[in-house]
Amino acid sequence: MEIILGKKVGDLVFGMLPAEVENLYGTPDYRYTDDDNDLIYIYNQLQLRLAFYELEDFKLCYVITSNPKAVVHEISFIGMNLNEATDLLQQQTKVKPFSERLDLTELLVFEGVSFNLVAEFGTVSKLEIGVAVSDNDEFVFPKR
């Protein structure tokens, strides 16, 4: 499952509509509307959480995955030591992340490339990938 930052996660392309995703992966294992009225799809086997933002006409805008087959620049970060993963991503993206910590969970935010690493106990457990954002803070959906 190749991740191209800001553009796609495997076969998922940012900007897809829920029906397009269902044509690709079938009915989600679980779906709900969150507090922001965004539509959330969960695919257990693929270890994917997909967010379709209401303010963007329910286009796919955000993906969270714990799938060890998810790779960025041919590297699987799931299960990797957080410091090692951070160093590799800094080299690849030329972005210095900032860190947020809540109890045992640490979030490393690579602002500007719409990518976050989530770690517990010093090990990367999740990747968060968002659609690219312009300098004007507007989403930039890839051409399909």
Side-chain angles (χ1 to χ4, degrees), residues 4-60:
I4 299 176
L5 297 178
K7 295 184 179 183
K8 63 183 269 178
V9 177
D11 295 325
L12 298 168
V13 179
F14 288 111
M16 290 177 97
L17 298 172
E20 294 174 291
V21 172
E22 287 191 39
N23 285 337
L24 188 64
Y25 291 140
T27 304
D29 295 295
Y30 184 65
R31 69 179 269 171
Y32 64 95
T33 303
D34 69 9
D35 293 340
D36 294 323
N37 208 34
D38 297 330
L39 180 61
I40 308 299
Y41 276 17
I42 307 290
Y43 287 95
N44 291 331
Q45 189 130 16
L46 297 169
Q47 296 177 320
L48 290 171
R49 177 193 181 276
L50 313 178
F52 302 89
Y53 290 0
E54 178 191 31
L55 293 175
E56 294 296 327
D57 299 321
F58 292 100
K59 292 179 182 173
L60 178 63

Side-chain angles (χ1 to χ4, degrees), residues 65-127:
T65 186
S66 294
N67 191 322
K69 293 181 181 174
V71 296
V72 179
H73 301 289
E74 301 179 1
I75 299 169
S76 174
F77 290 97
I78 301 295
M80 186 180 283
N81 173 280
L82 181 60
N83 292 331
E84 182 182 350
T86 303
D87 290 345
L88 280 169
L89 275 169
Q90 276 185 260
Q91 291 169 17
Q92 292 172 348
T93 63
K94 308 296 185 227
V95 174
K96 182 174 174 54
F98 67 86
S99 176
E100 296 177 6
R101 187 169 197 93
L102 178 62
D103 193 25
L104 62 94
T105 301
E106 187 167 0
L107 175 69
L108 276 151
V109 177
F110 288 81
E111 210 168 44
V113 293
S114 302
F115 187 73
N116 303 329
L117 292 174
V118 180
E120 295 176 335
F121 302 106
T123 301
V124 177
S125 58
K126 286 187 241 176
L127 308 177

